[in-house]
Amino acid sequence: MEANNRYHRQIILPEIGTSGQEKLTTAKVLVIGAGGLGCPALQYLVAAGIGTIGIVDFDIVETSNLHRQILYGDSSIGENKALAAKNRLEDLNPTIVINAYPEKLTTKNAISLFSEYDIIVDGSDNFSTRYLVNDACVITGKPLVYGAIFKYEGQVSVFNYQNGPSYRCLFPEPPKAGSVPSCSEIGVIGVLPGIIGSLQANEVLKIILELGDVLSGKLLMYDSLSTRFSTFSVNRVDPEISKVLAVQEDFETMDYELLCGIKPVVEILPEHALTIKNALFIDVRETHEQPKIESLHPKYIPINTLQKELNTFDNEQEIIVFCQSGVRSKKAVEIFIEHGFKHVSHIKGGAIALYEQQTLKEV
């Protein structure tokens, strides 16, 4: 009787009914981030009666969060967001299971966490987490309900749903570090995450209830200043999905902060490189380029063929890459890291700097 009273307004919808409510009760949804997007998404999913909700967030509540993260108040300041959200949401609906994970989502825990849930909701606010979440969804075969906000604009889509596109089909590569400011740097109007997070919750309900037109293969854009919605098509790009699946065995060793430019690529000074023993040096220049640095006994692999050669290397080995000036070698390091290699660096200044240093030594 209590369940019928609690969910009466949605049960009386003929497209939902008691059978639809049962679908919601047996569903398991994991929300990444209990911030601006996660708070409204969680509030409505919990109120709708999703049977099991997971909340992943290692951050703590701060005063600056309160203008948009509506699950918290002054009494929550200093608390872990996942735990504070669980406490508030259990009061909203004590009849469901809410699991709080007060930890950072990483490559070490993502696969096991995602495997326990049916749908993943991305409420993160940085590119490294978005790519990690996408790749973990592709590997585990879970649909991903995506949302993002910027100043007065937001976007929503559903990825990896019924052979639809993934996040990498829309954004194959992360933007250059620092090119897209975060909300903490550029600001955001407080109601915007409420709108976008609610739209994410709506997509979750549509998926579970098998209702309406799910936003798979489409990107919904919302401009809060003009109150205008726009929808763009997103096509599945099989090579992008294949890339993720091809390296899934190395997923736990990947460094998404490095891939997204949050961490710098490790550089070695040329004078230090000339003293290193027992490392594999790789010259990624074209064979005609000069000067040659034979003293390092490098393996010559032009960067445009490097990807084909990756399976010939031991990913535990120390690898040092160089090119003419250091630009291509930095890209080469990113390729290695993307494929699970752990000990890769490049020589600052490349062969030109190496040659100059070597000449100085000879003099």
Side-chain angles (χ1 to χ4, degrees), residues 274-316:
L274 291 168
T275 68
I276 293 175
K277 310 294 182 186
N278 302 320
L280 173 62
F281 288 89
I282 299 177
D283 186 342
V284 295
R285 296 178 296 165
E286 299 297 325
T287 54
H288 61 82
E289 293 183 74
Q290 299 291 331
K292 297 296 183 187
I293 312 295
E294 301 296 354
S295 61
L296 295 179
H297 308 290
K299 190 176 180 71
Y300 290 94
I301 305 176
I303 192 166
N304 61 348
T305 63
L306 178 61
Q307 197 133 348
K308 298 176 184 176
E309 301 286 337
L310 291 176
N311 61 358
T312 65
F313 303 116
D314 178 359
N315 65 5
E316 296 289 341

Side-chain angles (χ1 to χ4, degrees), residues 140-197:
T140 56
K142 305 295 181 179
L144 167 61
V145 180
Y146 157 79
I149 52 176
F150 183 78
K151 294 178 70 174
Y152 302 99
E153 300 175 354
Q155 50 187 231
V156 184
S157 189
V158 175
F159 296 118
N160 205 42
Y161 175 71
Q162 295 184 348
N163 293 316
S166 75
Y167 180 72
R168 285 187 183 270
C169 298
L170 179 61
F171 303 113
E173 300 289 340
K176 291 183 179 180
S179 63
V180 181
S182 66
C183 289
S184 62
E185 297 169 317
I186 198 83
V188 63
I189 190 169
V191 297
L192 179 63
I195 296 167
I196 300 301

